[in-house]
Amino acid sequence: MTRPVRLAINGASGRMGKAILDLLETDARFELAHAVVAPGSKQDGEPVFAHSSKGMRYAHDWNDAPALDVVIDFSSPMALHAALDHCTSRGVALVSGTTGIDAVLEVRMAEAGKNIALLRAANFSIGVAVLTRLLREAAAALPNWDIEIVEAHHGRKQDAPSGTALALGHAAAQSRRATLDAMAVYSREGQTGARVDGSIGFAVVRGGDIVGEHTAMLIGQGERLELAHRATDRSIFARGALQAAQWLVGRAAGQWQLEDVIATS
Ligand code: NAD
């Protein structure tokens, strides 16, 4: 594509939306065409780039969205429903990082993937993609060791455990030919009884400005292996999402993964 990619951001005033807007100020690959925020939010109707003559303003819906190549979504499950409506009705590609998705939205996403190019990742960092690969290997190589996943995020995060922690749990369970649904233990309190063999436990820390930390522990008798990733700057997720968006434009309909982008970039 010779012209810039026409991009919309869903959740443009959020922490991730702002990180993407910061990068867009100096990224000629993209032309920001629409920026959606929650209805009633203080940014609604305000200029997106205060120092630019372009005059783009935040919107609270998709009604006035111009023709688009791709939408990047870091918002909420409810806002993602609206973005999906727009993308599926106009044939626009969608990159989504929103977590906390329920079963109804999962089904909608799977349906949408039949008609549009859709790429989802619970974590757009390359380091976490490698951590996932290492965990798969370790879980298979140490089949009898206990697995616990600990994650930490800032205090305003809405869902727990994080989408990334769940994705790590899925990867570990798959390596042991099990499902996370069958093996997960999400909370422990009171008389829990002994740990169930093969279970995958989760623990959650919330506080301050933690961008995102994940540790997968593989715990044996007399030794322990820990695989940890710490994000200190959310621009890593923003950069990954922009790379994914550029890659996705012009792809066939389907549910794509960040691994597909890394493999062919
Ligand atoms: P945030 O709360 O800072 O921002 C949310 C944004 O969504 C805001 O712009 C808000 O106005 C908008 N929004 C909320 N409800 C809306 C609605 N009903 N209609 C329209 N817009 C609405 O959140 P954040 O930290 O930027 O994270 C957003 C999402 O992305 C969360 O689900 C988070 O877990 C996820 N996340 C994913 C990754 C990743 O790499 N995949 C990284 C960080 C965050």
Side-chain angles (χ1 to χ4, degrees), residues 63-104:
N63 292 342
D64 296 326
L68 297 167
D69 297 310
V70 62
V71 171
I72 297 183
D73 161 76
F74 285 93
S75 60
S76 67
M78 196 200 284
L80 176 52
H81 271 292
L84 266 177
D85 288 343
H86 186 78
C87 290
T88 49
S89 66
R90 307 285 170 91
V92 176
L94 174 64
V95 170
S96 178
T98 296
T99 61
I101 288 176
D102 64 14
V104 175

Short mmCIF file of all heavy atoms in Angstrom, two decimals, residues 63-104:
data_model
loop_
_atom_site.label_atom_id
_atom_site.label_comp_id
_atom_site.label_asym_id
_atom_site.label_seq_id
_atom_site.Cartn_x
_atom_site.Cartn_y
_atom_site.Cartn_z
N ASN A 63 -20.65 6.71 14.09
CA ASN A 63 -21.56 7.25 13.08
C ASN A 63 -20.84 8.06 12.00
O ASN A 63 -21.16 7.94 10.83
CB ASN A 63 -22.63 8.13 13.73
CG ASN A 63 -23.58 7.29 14.56
OD1 ASN A 63 -23.63 6.08 14.38
ND2 ASN A 63 -24.30 7.92 15.49
N ASP A 64 -19.88 8.89 12.39
CA ASP A 64 -19.22 9.76 11.41
C ASP A 64 -17.86 9.23 10.97
O ASP A 64 -17.04 9.99 10.43
CB ASP A 64 -19.05 11.17 11.99
CG ASP A 64 -20.40 11.81 12.26
OD1 ASP A 64 -21.33 11.54 11.48
OD2 ASP A 64 -20.52 12.54 13.26
N ALA A 65 -17.62 7.94 11.20
CA ALA A 65 -16.30 7.39 10.83
C ALA A 65 -16.15 7.39 9.31
O ALA A 65 -17.05 6.93 8.61
CB ALA A 65 -16.15 5.98 11.38
N PRO A 66 -15.02 7.88 8.80
CA PRO A 66 -14.79 7.82 7.35
C PRO A 66 -14.36 6.41 6.94
O PRO A 66 -14.30 5.52 7.78
CB PRO A 66 -13.64 8.82 7.16
CG PRO A 66 -12.90 8.77 8.44
CD PRO A 66 -13.90 8.48 9.53
N ALA A 67 -14.06 6.22 5.65
CA ALA A 67 -13.58 4.90 5.19
C ALA A 67 -12.28 4.57 5.94
O ALA A 67 -11.41 5.42 6.10
CB ALA A 67 -13.33 4.94 3.69
N LEU A 68 -12.17 3.32 6.39
CA LEU A 68 -11.02 2.90 7.20
C LEU A 68 -10.39 1.63 6.63
O LEU A 68 -11.08 0.83 6.00
CB LEU A 68 -11.49 2.58 8.63
CG LEU A 68 -12.08 3.71 9.45
CD1 LEU A 68 -12.77 3.14 10.70
CD2 LEU A 68 -10.99 4.70 9.86
N ASP A 69 -9.09 1.46 6.91
CA ASP A 69 -8.43 0.19 6.59
C ASP A 69 -8.44 -0.74 7.80
O ASP A 69 -8.57 -1.94 7.67
CB ASP A 69 -6.97 0.44 6.19
CG ASP A 69 -6.86 1.27 4.92
OD1 ASP A 69 -7.54 0.92 3.93
OD2 ASP A 69 -6.11 2.27 4.93
N VAL A 70 -8.26 -0.16 8.99
CA VAL A 70 -8.10 -1.00 10.18
C VAL A 70 -8.47 -0.21 11.45
O VAL A 70 -8.30 1.01 11.49
CB VAL A 70 -6.64 -1.54 10.27
CG1 VAL A 70 -5.62 -0.43 10.38
CG2 VAL A 70 -6.46 -2.55 11.38
N VAL A 71 -9.02 -0.93 12.42
CA VAL A 71 -9.30 -0.36 13.74
C VAL A 71 -8.39 -1.04 14.75
O VAL A 71 -8.22 -2.26 14.72
CB VAL A 71 -10.78 -0.61 14.13
CG1 VAL A 71 -11.03 -0.21 15.59
CG2 VAL A 71 -11.73 0.14 13.20
N ILE A 72 -7.78 -0.23 15.64
CA ILE A 72 -7.06 -0.80 16.78
C ILE A 72 -7.90 -0.54 18.03
O ILE A 72 -8.29 0.60 18.31
CB ILE A 72 -5.66 -0.17 16.97
CG1 ILE A 72 -4.78 -0.46 15.76
CG2 ILE A 72 -5.01 -0.72 18.23
CD1 ILE A 72 -3.35 0.07 15.90
N ASP A 73 -8.19 -1.61 18.76
CA ASP A 73 -9.09 -1.52 19.90
C ASP A 73 -8.38 -1.89 21.20
O ASP A 73 -7.85 -3.00 21.35
CB ASP A 73 -10.26 -2.50 19.66
CG ASP A 73 -11.00 -2.83 20.95
OD1 ASP A 73 -11.77 -1.97 21.41
OD2 ASP A 73 -10.78 -3.93 21.50
N PHE A 74 -8.32 -0.92 22.12
CA PHE A 74 -7.92 -1.19 23.51
C PHE A 74 -8.95 -0.45 24.35
O PHE A 74 -8.77 0.72 24.67
CB PHE A 74 -6.52 -0.64 23.83
CG PHE A 74 -5.39 -1.44 23.26
CD1 PHE A 74 -4.85 -1.11 22.03
CD2 PHE A 74 -4.85 -2.52 23.96
CE1 PHE A 74 -3.79 -1.84 21.51
CE2 PHE A 74 -3.79 -3.25 23.44
CZ PHE A 74 -3.25 -2.92 22.21
N SER A 75 -10.07 -1.09 24.67
CA SER A 75 -11.15 -0.35 25.30
C SER A 75 -11.77 -1.19 26.41
O SER A 75 -11.13 -1.47 27.41
CB SER A 75 -12.18 0.04 24.22
OG SER A 75 -12.70 -1.12 23.59
N SER A 76 -13.04 -1.54 26.24
CA SER A 76 -13.76 -2.38 27.19
C SER A 76 -14.58 -3.36 26.37
O SER A 76 -14.84 -3.10 25.18
CB SER A 76 -14.69 -1.52 28.04
OG SER A 76 -15.72 -1.00 27.21
N PRO A 77 -15.03 -4.46 26.98
CA PRO A 77 -15.84 -5.41 26.19
C PRO A 77 -17.05 -4.73 25.53
O PRO A 77 -17.37 -5.00 24.37
CB PRO A 77 -16.26 -6.44 27.24
CG PRO A 77 -15.11 -6.44 28.21
CD PRO A 77 -14.68 -5.00 28.30
N MET A 78 -17.71 -3.80 26.25
CA MET A 78 -18.89 -3.15 25.67
C MET A 78 -18.51 -2.31 24.44
O MET A 78 -19.18 -2.32 23.41
CB MET A 78 -19.57 -2.25 26.72
CG MET A 78 -20.99 -1.86 26.31
SD MET A 78 -21.55 -0.41 27.19
CE MET A 78 -21.90 -1.15 28.77
N ALA A 79 -17.41 -1.58 24.57
CA ALA A 79 -16.96 -0.75 23.45
C ALA A 79 -16.49 -1.61 22.29
O ALA A 79 -16.62 -1.22 21.12
CB ALA A 79 -15.83 0.17 23.92
N LEU A 80 -15.96 -2.79 22.60
CA LEU A 80 -15.52 -3.70 21.54
C LEU A 80 -16.71 -4.19 20.72
O LEU A 80 -16.61 -4.36 19.50
CB LEU A 80 -14.72 -4.87 22.15
CG LEU A 80 -14.25 -5.97 21.21
CD1 LEU A 80 -13.48 -5.44 20.00
CD2 LEU A 80 -13.39 -6.98 21.97
N HIS A 81 -17.86 -4.41 21.36
CA HIS A 81 -19.08 -4.81 20.63
C HIS A 81 -19.38 -3.78 19.53
O HIS A 81 -19.67 -4.14 18.38
CB HIS A 81 -20.28 -4.89 21.57
CG HIS A 81 -20.46 -6.23 22.21
ND1 HIS A 81 -20.83 -7.36 21.51
CD2 HIS A 81 -20.32 -6.63 23.50
CE1 HIS A 81 -20.91 -8.39 22.34
NE2 HIS A 81 -20.59 -7.97 23.55
N ALA A 82 -19.33 -2.50 19.90
CA ALA A 82 -19.65 -1.43 18.93
C ALA A 82 -18.62 -1.40 17.80
O ALA A 82 -18.98 -1.23 16.63
CB ALA A 82 -19.70 -0.09 19.66
N ALA A 83 -17.34 -1.58 18.13
CA ALA A 83 -16.31 -1.59 17.09
C ALA A 83 -16.51 -2.78 16.15
O ALA A 83 -16.35 -2.65 14.93
CB ALA A 83 -14.92 -1.65 17.74
N LEU A 84 -16.89 -3.91 16.72
CA LEU A 84 -17.16 -5.10 15.89
C LEU A 84 -18.32 -4.85 14.93
O LEU A 84 -18.27 -5.24 13.77
CB LEU A 84 -17.52 -6.29 16.79
CG LEU A 84 -16.40 -7.23 17.19
CD1 LEU A 84 -16.95 -8.29 18.14
CD2 LEU A 84 -15.76 -7.90 15.97
N ASP A 85 -19.37 -4.18 15.43
CA ASP A 85 -20.52 -3.84 14.55
C ASP A 85 -20.00 -3.07 13.34
O ASP A 85 -20.35 -3.37 12.20
CB ASP A 85 -21.53 -2.93 15.29
CG ASP A 85 -22.31 -3.69 16.34
OD1 ASP A 85 -22.31 -4.94 16.28
OD2 ASP A 85 -22.89 -3.03 17.23
N HIS A 86 -19.17 -2.05 13.62
CA HIS A 86 -18.69 -1.20 12.54
C HIS A 86 -17.80 -1.99 11.58
O HIS A 86 -17.97 -1.93 10.37
CB HIS A 86 -17.93 0.00 13.10
CG HIS A 86 -17.53 0.98 12.05
ND1 HIS A 86 -18.42 1.88 11.50
CD2 HIS A 86 -16.35 1.16 11.40
CE1 HIS A 86 -17.80 2.58 10.56
NE2 HIS A 86 -16.55 2.16 10.48
N CYS A 87 -16.84 -2.73 12.13
CA CYS A 87 -15.87 -3.44 11.28
C CYS A 87 -16.55 -4.50 10.43
O CYS A 87 -16.23 -4.64 9.25
CB CYS A 87 -14.78 -4.08 12.15
SG CYS A 87 -13.67 -2.86 12.88
N THR A 88 -17.49 -5.24 11.01
CA THR A 88 -18.13 -6.32 10.24
C THR A 88 -19.06 -5.74 9.17
O THR A 88 -19.15 -6.27 8.08
CB THR A 88 -18.90 -7.31 11.13
OG1 THR A 88 -19.74 -6.57 12.01
CG2 THR A 88 -17.96 -8.16 11.95
N SER A 89 -19.72 -4.62 9.48
CA SER A 89 -20.66 -4.06 8.47
C SER A 89 -19.90 -3.37 7.33
O SER A 89 -20.41 -3.28 6.22
CB SER A 89 -21.65 -3.09 9.12
OG SER A 89 -20.97 -1.96 9.60
N ARG A 90 -18.67 -2.90 7.58
CA ARG A 90 -17.91 -2.19 6.52
C ARG A 90 -16.72 -2.99 5.98
O ARG A 90 -15.96 -2.47 5.17
CB ARG A 90 -17.35 -0.86 7.06
CG ARG A 90 -18.35 0.04 7.71
CD ARG A 90 -19.21 0.73 6.67
NE ARG A 90 -20.31 1.42 7.31
CZ ARG A 90 -20.29 2.68 7.71
NH1 ARG A 90 -19.22 3.41 7.48
NH2 ARG A 90 -21.33 3.22 8.31
N GLY A 91 -16.50 -4.20 6.50
CA GLY A 91 -15.37 -4.99 6.03
C GLY A 91 -14.02 -4.41 6.42
O GLY A 91 -13.06 -4.45 5.65
N VAL A 92 -13.95 -3.85 7.63
CA VAL A 92 -12.70 -3.23 8.10
C VAL A 92 -11.94 -4.23 9.00
O VAL A 92 -12.55 -4.90 9.85
CB VAL A 92 -13.01 -1.95 8.90
CG1 VAL A 92 -11.74 -1.33 9.48
CG2 VAL A 92 -13.75 -0.94 8.03
N ALA A 93 -10.63 -4.32 8.83
CA ALA A 93 -9.81 -5.21 9.66
C ALA A 93 -9.78 -4.69 11.10
O ALA A 93 -9.93 -3.48 11.34
CB ALA A 93 -8.38 -5.28 9.10
N LEU A 94 -9.61 -5.61 12.06
CA LEU A 94 -9.64 -5.22 13.48
C LEU A 94 -8.50 -5.88 14.25
O LEU A 94 -8.33 -7.09 14.20
CB LEU A 94 -10.99 -5.64 14.09
CG LEU A 94 -11.17 -5.44 15.59
CD1 LEU A 94 -11.12 -3.96 15.98
CD2 LEU A 94 -12.49 -6.04 16.07
N VAL A 95 -7.74 -5.04 14.95
CA VAL A 95 -6.70 -5.50 15.89
C VAL A 95 -7.23 -5.20 17.28
O VAL A 95 -7.53 -4.05 17.59
CB VAL A 95 -5.38 -4.73 15.67
CG1 VAL A 95 -4.39 -5.03 16.78
CG2 VAL A 95 -4.77 -5.08 14.32
N SER A 96 -7.36 -6.22 18.13
CA SER A 96 -7.93 -5.96 19.45
C SER A 96 -7.04 -6.50 20.57
O SER A 96 -6.60 -7.65 20.54
CB SER A 96 -9.32 -6.58 19.58
OG SER A 96 -9.81 -6.34 20.89
N GLY A 97 -6.83 -5.64 21.58
CA GLY A 97 -6.08 -6.04 22.76
C GLY A 97 -6.95 -6.05 24.00
O GLY A 97 -6.45 -6.31 25.10
N THR A 98 -8.24 -5.75 23.84
CA THR A 98 -9.13 -5.68 25.01
C THR A 98 -9.22 -7.04 25.68
O THR A 98 -9.37 -8.06 25.01
CB THR A 98 -10.54 -5.20 24.57
OG1 THR A 98 -10.40 -3.88 24.06
CG2 THR A 98 -11.52 -5.20 25.73
N THR A 99 -9.15 -7.05 27.01
CA THR A 99 -9.24 -8.31 27.76
C THR A 99 -10.54 -8.32 28.58
O THR A 99 -11.32 -7.37 28.53
CB THR A 99 -8.02 -8.47 28.70
OG1 THR A 99 -8.01 -7.37 29.62
CG2 THR A 99 -6.73 -8.47 27.91
N GLY A 100 -10.77 -9.41 29.29
CA GLY A 100 -11.98 -9.54 30.09
C GLY A 100 -13.20 -9.87 29.23
O GLY A 100 -14.33 -9.47 29.54
N ILE A 101 -12.95 -10.61 28.15
CA ILE A 101 -14.01 -10.90 27.18
C ILE A 101 -14.84 -12.11 27.62
O ILE A 101 -14.28 -13.15 27.96
CB ILE A 101 -13.35 -11.12 25.80
CG1 ILE A 101 -12.88 -9.76 25.33
CG2 ILE A 101 -14.26 -11.79 24.81
CD1 ILE A 101 -12.14 -9.75 24.06
N ASP A 102 -16.19 -11.96 27.63
CA ASP A 102 -17.03 -13.06 28.09
C ASP A 102 -17.37 -14.01 26.94
O ASP A 102 -16.99 -13.79 25.78
CB ASP A 102 -18.29 -12.53 28.79
CG ASP A 102 -19.19 -11.76 27.83
OD1 ASP A 102 -19.00 -11.85 26.59
OD2 ASP A 102 -20.10 -11.07 28.32
N ALA A 103 -18.12 -15.06 27.27
CA ALA A 103 -18.39 -16.11 26.27
C ALA A 103 -19.18 -15.56 25.08
O ALA A 103 -18.95 -15.96 23.94
CB ALA A 103 -19.15 -17.25 26.95
N VAL A 104 -20.11 -14.64 25.34
CA VAL A 104 -20.92 -14.08 24.25
C VAL A 104 -20.03 -13.34 23.26
O VAL A 104 -20.14 -13.51 22.03
CB VAL A 104 -22.00 -13.11 24.82
CG1 VAL A 104 -22.78 -12.43 23.70
CG2 VAL A 104 -22.94 -13.87 25.75
#
